[in-house]
Amino acid sequence: MHAWVELLRLPALFTVPGDALAGAAAAGARPTPRTLVAIASSLCLYEAGMALNDWADRAEDAVDRPHRPLPSGRIRPAAALAAAGGLTAAGLALASTAGRRPLAVAGALAATVWSYDLVLKRTPAGPVAMAAARSLDLLLGGVAANGDIRRALPSALALGTHTLAVTTVSRHETQGGSPWAPLSGLATTAALAWSITHDDPTRDRQPGWDRKPGREWHAGQDRHAGGDRKPGADRQPGRDRNPGRDRRPGRDWQSGGDRQPGRAAASAANLVSLRGALAAVYAATAARPLFHAALNPSPQLTQRAVGGGIRAMIPLQAALAARSGAPVTALLTAALAPAARRFGRKVSMT
């Protein structure tokens, strides 16, 4: 059992649910039972990639990592390949229950995983393929929740960019290398953290942000200031509709309803604070081991940098959900980080 846990790198599984959750939030949809199906499909396809990765690398691991389950003889290569095939079939079957669109995205994800492990890993296209796999996993969550996939593209690009940087560093984790890969990872981390705290895709959904100049909003009526108003139009039987009267403090008349701008402003401020805090956690989780690897690109420190980059995906997913205006989803995703860190100390993620 421990050999299979090591082969499948189970602690890394905690980085997978956030893909679908962040994808649903970025697509402007709430998580649904189909989101859970997308998460289950993603978990199967992720583990299929883990098993297939060791099967494809069994000859290389016999030299560089003889302690791994396949070269050490604890798991037969045929069993690892069968597990990869079975998990892929299970992932696609689960996605099919969510509809044709999720199945199409899951199919593209599975094809990317197999292409990476069998063909592209040692080519210049390897990191790009791995980045595409993570981006597709996020889009799978958006499609499964019936959201607008176009709105999820910026978040998918952000997650894919981080994955590209981590994968580039991982190519030197067994032999070590130059400091340029971790330095580029540091630059990528800083750029992503900055973009998360400054971009606001929820802006076009905030009440009152899309008001045209010169318009006043009165009890659900869009009236041009100084426009045509019929005599007595501001009055209703039994009620004085004179501007400035019958409005209690804290009420903002918009689109036929009364809103409290103070409460809305406080909620927006809390969301910005949450987004900034999660972006800071993401930057700290990824940057520290990358900085150490840049100073000394030894195999051990490079592996730690890769592990830190994998763990940093969780606060990154949470920050993307918060940026999309889904604080509850962000907090649920962030809650996976302690478990990933705890189990990562027992079983390596790389």
Side-chain angles (χ1 to χ4, degrees), residues 30-31 38 40 72 93 101 106 115 141 165 174 192 197 201 209 239 247 251 284 302-303 327 336 339 342 349:
R30 292 185 177 182
S72 65
R101 293 176 64 203
S115 298
T174 57
L192 287 175
T197 55
W209 281 38
R239 185 173 183 181
R247 293 189 184 181
R251 289 191 177 268
T302 302
Q303 290 173 17
L336 297 172
R342 176 183 177 184
M349 291 187 178

Side-chain angles (χ1 to χ4, degrees), residues 33-60:
R34 285 160 49 112
T35 305
L36 297 178
V37 173
I39 291 175
S41 175
S42 297
L43 291 172
C44 289
L45 295 177
Y46 187 87
E47 290 294 54
M50 293 294 102
L52 185 63
N53 175 79
D54 274 33
W55 181 85
D57 289 350
R58 62 192 185 280
E60 179 182 335

Side-chain angles (χ1 to χ4, degrees), residues 280-297:
V281 173
Y282 156 68
T285 304
R288 183 177 180 181
L290 283 171
F291 179 73
H292 291 161
L295 293 178
N296 179 15

